[in-house]
Amino acid sequence: MIVISHRGNTNGRNEIYENNPLCIEWTLSRGYDVEVDVWCDEKNNRLSLGHDYPQYSIKKKWLNENKKHLWCHAKNLAALFWLSQKSGYRFFWHQKDDFTLTSNGIIWTYPNKEITKNSIIVAKTKPETLFYAQKEIYGICTDYPECV
């Protein structure tokens, strides 16, 4: 089972550092994959990370160098389009859908919904993370990867 850090968090939610490229690099260095929120500004040809809005500008080179360990949540249509035109990125788009299919054929699953062996479940709490860690699934995306 793969364990994915939610926005770079490792031991609980920390809104100050979520999607911060330095925090993500630190989390990657600890051996975790990371789910990141990607925005694209087509007009200015820029990529950014951030949950509710484009908060941290990033270089395309940074995203490309880390793509093997990132799960990119496209936050706007331009980001979805940009990611879909590139090779090797794992990406998806959703809002509150129960399920969405990632670019590599994995089922990204909203918290507390049905799961399969091909599901990555988003676990919001430590107890949920521990519960799903016992299941036969593809992976867990959580703010608590260190407890798995």
Side-chain angles (χ1 to χ4, degrees):
M1 174 189 321
I2 187 170
V3 179
I4 303 167
S5 163
H6 185 233
R7 303 179 192 145
N9 294 313
T10 57
N11 196 21
R13 189 153 187 213
N14 188 334
E15 293 182 40
I16 295 171
Y17 295 110
E18 289 184 345
N19 283 302
N20 181 314
L22 293 176
C23 178
I24 291 166
E25 288 173 13
W26 180 84
T27 303
L28 291 170
S29 76
R30 297 179 57 87
Y32 297 111
D33 278 12
V34 180
E35 181 266 344
V36 294
D37 298 317
V38 180
W39 297 81
C40 181
D41 177 354
E42 285 181 299
K43 191 185 332 182
N44 296 310
N45 196 28
R46 286 194 309 215
L47 293 174
S48 299
L49 301 179
H51 183 253
D52 294 322
Y53 58 93
Q55 189 173 3
Y56 301 101
S57 285
I58 57 169
K59 304 264 185 213
K60 292 173 183 172
K61 180 180 177 184
W62 181 91
L63 197 63
N64 192 54
E65 288 172 350
N66 293 297
K67 70 183 176 184
K68 289 182 182 178
H69 299 286
L70 297 177
W71 295 79
C72 300
H73 179 179
K75 297 299 278 190
N76 64 349
L77 180 59
L80 183 62
F81 178 75
W82 188 87
L83 289 162
S84 73
Q85 300 302 300
K86 307 300 176 193
S87 177
Y89 287 94
R90 293 179 295 194
F91 64 92
F92 61 95
W93 180 90
H94 81 114
Q95 286 183 322
K96 294 189 181 204
D97 309 325
D98 290 354
F99 316 100
T100 193
L101 197 59
T102 67
S103 59
N104 63 334
I106 305 300
I107 302 167
W108 196 269
T109 307
Y110 201 71
N112 301 309
K113 299 299 178 183
E114 290 180 83
I115 52 175
T116 72
K117 292 179 184 179
N118 196 39
S119 296
I120 293 174
I121 186 79
V122 177
K124 290 187 169 189
T125 66
K126 192 173 187 177
E128 284 177 13
T129 300
L130 293 170
F131 173 79
Y132 286 111
Q134 306 303 313
K135 301 295 181 183
E136 190 175 341
I137 57 176
Y138 187 87
I140 301 171
C141 178
T142 179
D143 293 324
Y144 300 91
E146 289 187 354
C147 79
V148 177

